[in-house]
């Protein structure tokens, strides 16, 4: 029997024996949930590969795509169903942070996409003013 611990989205397993069946069931279901998340991530990676979005990665490196890059590429190139899947896989806070750090800072290049994401997924009431504020904040930080 395995006991599963979650530490910063990493799955650690080690051998531990229990006599209580309920505890065993909880840990087994957590492991199944982790495996399902991995298959969903792989599904997103395959869709991005089909669109040739990982052209700079070797085939061995594609399996180890960092979460930030997977989030960024999914927001940029995949459709709404895949973005919804992304919000099921990752916390909204992490997705929003990647969105702010990688897409919003590019200004008008992704203007319409950023307005749509701000309004649809992040519940921002005035996306235009919010995006301007975030861009100016970013520019102040780098200067």
């Amino acid at each position: 029997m395995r006991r599963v611990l979650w530490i910063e989205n990493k799955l650690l397993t080690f051998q531990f024996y229990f006599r209580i069946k309920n505890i065993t069931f909880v840990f087994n279901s957590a492991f199944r949930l982790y495996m399902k998340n991995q298959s969903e991530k792989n599904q997103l990676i395959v869709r991005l590969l089909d669109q040739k979005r990982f052209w700079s990665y070797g085939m061995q490196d594609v399996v180890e795509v960092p979460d930030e890059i997977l989030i960024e590429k999914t927001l940029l190139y995949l459709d709404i169903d895949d973005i919804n899947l992304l919000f099921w896989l990752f916390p909204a806070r992490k997705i929003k942070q990647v969105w702010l750090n990688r897409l919003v800072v590019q200004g008008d290049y992704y203007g319409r996409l950023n307005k749509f994401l701000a309004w649809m997924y992040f519940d921002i009431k005035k996306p235009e003013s919010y995006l301007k504020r975030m861009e100016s904040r970013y520019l102040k930080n780098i200067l």
Side-chain angles (χ1 to χ4, degrees), residues 21-37:
K21 291 182 181 179
N22 291 339
I23 293 174
T24 303
F25 175 74
V26 169
F27 287 119
N28 285 339
S29 65
F31 184 70
R32 285 190 201 117
L33 179 65
Y34 173 77
M35 294 307 289
K36 185 172 182 176
N37 285 348

Side-chain angles (χ1 to χ4, degrees), residues 51-122:
Q51 293 187 5
K52 310 236 186 310
R53 300 301 176 186
F54 289 124
W55 56 270
S56 62
Y57 283 81
M59 289 309 289
Q60 295 83 11
D61 298 333
V62 170
V63 177
E64 301 171 1
V65 173
D67 291 343
E68 291 79 20
I69 292 177
L70 181 63
I71 291 169
E72 176 189 7
K73 299 286 186 188
T74 302
L75 290 174
L76 282 175
Y77 301 116
L78 296 182
D79 60 359
I80 291 176
D81 293 333
D82 298 322
I83 294 173
N84 291 339
L85 178 63
L86 194 68
F87 274 89
W88 186 80
L89 287 172
F90 298 104
R93 180 184 296 165
K94 184 173 186 172
I95 296 170
K96 186 173 183 179
Q97 193 63 41
V98 171
W99 174 65
L100 288 172
N101 291 340
R102 295 187 181 230
L103 299 178
V104 171
V105 298
Q106 297 197 21
D108 291 336
Y109 191 71
Y110 296 120
R112 288 185 182 179
L113 174 66
N114 284 331
K115 288 175 190 173
F116 171 74
L117 292 172
W119 173 74
M120 181 77 177
Y121 289 103
F122 301 116

Side-chain angles (χ1 to χ4, degrees), residues 5-46:
L5 295 177
W6 294 89
I7 300 174
E8 298 179 16
N9 291 331
K10 304 279 186 204
L11 181 69
L12 301 178
T13 60
F14 56 93
Q15 299 296 323
F16 199 86
Y17 293 94
F18 284 102
R19 291 185 180 177
I20 303 172
K21 291 182 181 179
N22 291 339
I23 293 174
T24 303
F25 175 74
V26 169
F27 287 119
N28 285 339
S29 65
F31 184 70
R32 285 190 201 117
L33 179 65
Y34 173 77
M35 294 307 289
K36 185 172 182 176
N37 285 348
Q38 284 302 108
S39 68
E40 299 292 337
K41 278 185 188 180
N42 290 340
Q43 187 179 20
L44 287 175
I45 290 172
V46 165

Side-chain angles (χ1 to χ4, degrees), residues 117-133:
L117 292 172
W119 173 74
M120 181 77 177
Y121 289 103
F122 301 116
D123 295 327
I124 297 170
K125 302 297 181 205
K126 298 179 181 178
E128 294 88 4
S129 62
Y130 179 79
L131 293 172
K132 290 288 183 189
R133 275 196 325 265

